[in-house]
Amino acid sequence: MESNKLRGRPKGSVIPTDRKALEAVADLILREPTRRPTAAIKSIVTDWTDSVVHRLMGKWRKEKGALLAEAQRRKDAKGALDSAVDNVSDRRQIFALAAQMRGIYDSPAFRVAQGLGNSPAMKVFEEIKNSPAMRVFCEIQNSSVIRRFNAIQDSPAARMMREMPKIPVMKVLQERERL
């Protein structure tokens, strides 16, 4: 009796570790262009067998271009990061800055500031800030009536009214009224 059932894994099924192995192979081949894909697979996959190498070589042949392009992008990104780190004029400056930062965190002034944040007075302030009365006050302050009132106070006419008593003619008129 013959069976039409195929042997092995279903076509298109994915083994999760294969992608990482193929990315590592691409990285290795990019670093060492003379290395053959089979040798790269055998050096990357520690517990390789002939079937594992055959499976990965099949996937390598299909995805070689994309894998090498991704490896090149990773290499370029890493190179940019490395060059940025290498451009630091003096690594001692970095260590000195880190030491200064540790000194700030260990300083008495920083400890006092932390203590103030946890002090009873600060807790009372937080209670006042979160009280219902303060919420009502903030709502009133942000109301449309108060915003209109502030707009009127900042208007040119209101500024002129505030400046009028300072005008010399007005000072003379005010003195005459007093007499």
Side-chain angles (χ1 to χ4, degrees):
M1 194 189 301
E2 278 188 43
S3 171
N4 289 340
K5 188 174 181 183
L6 297 175
R7 294 175 47 182
R9 286 182 300 103
K11 290 212 180 283
S13 65
V14 177
I15 296 176
T17 57
D18 283 358
R19 184 68 183 176
K20 289 185 181 188
L22 290 172
E23 288 174 356
V25 167
D27 291 339
L28 183 60
I29 289 176
L30 202 61
R31 277 193 314 267
E32 301 174 18
T34 58
R35 189 177 284 245
R36 309 283 298 160
T38 306
I41 289 171
K42 288 180 179 179
S43 67
I44 297 295
V45 181
T46 55
D47 55 342
W48 63 270
T49 61
D50 289 338
S51 63
V52 170
V53 173
H54 182 72
R55 183 183 74 241
L56 289 175
M57 278 302 296
K59 291 181 179 182
W60 174 258
R61 283 186 207 101
K62 288 180 186 174
E63 302 176 29
K64 177 181 176 180
L67 288 165
L68 288 172
E70 287 176 28
Q72 185 63 48
R73 278 194 294 276
R74 283 192 300 272
K75 182 181 177 185
D76 293 344
K78 185 180 182 302
L81 180 63
D82 289 346
S83 67
V85 169
D86 289 340
N87 285 339
V88 174
S89 61
D90 190 0
R91 291 178 190 265
R92 287 178 283 175
Q93 290 175 342
I94 294 173
F95 292 120
L97 182 60
Q100 287 176 351
M101 293 300 292
R102 279 192 301 273
I104 289 171
Y105 287 123
D106 294 337
S107 71
F110 192 78
R111 283 193 210 111
V112 167
Q114 284 179 321
L116 286 175
N118 299 328
S119 70
M122 191 58 78
K123 289 177 184 171
V124 168
F125 177 74
E126 286 294 322
E127 287 176 13
I128 291 171
K129 188 173 100 175
N130 296 327
S131 70
M134 187 58 80
R135 275 189 234 120
V136 168
F137 178 76
C138 289
E139 287 175 16
I140 291 171
Q141 204 171 21
N142 295 330
S143 70
S144 61
V145 173
I146 297 296
R147 276 187 270 142
R148 286 184 190 139
F149 180 74
N150 288 336
I152 291 170
Q153 275 188 325
D154 294 336
S155 70
R159 275 188 244 132
M160 187 176 74
M161 292 294 288
R162 284 191 301 267
E163 294 296 320
M164 282 185 80
K166 299 176 187 173
I167 298 173
V169 172
M170 292 301 292
K171 288 180 183 178
V172 170
L173 289 174
Q174 285 175 349
E175 285 178 21
R176 281 188 183 171
E177 285 181 11
R178 287 184 197 156
L179 296 174

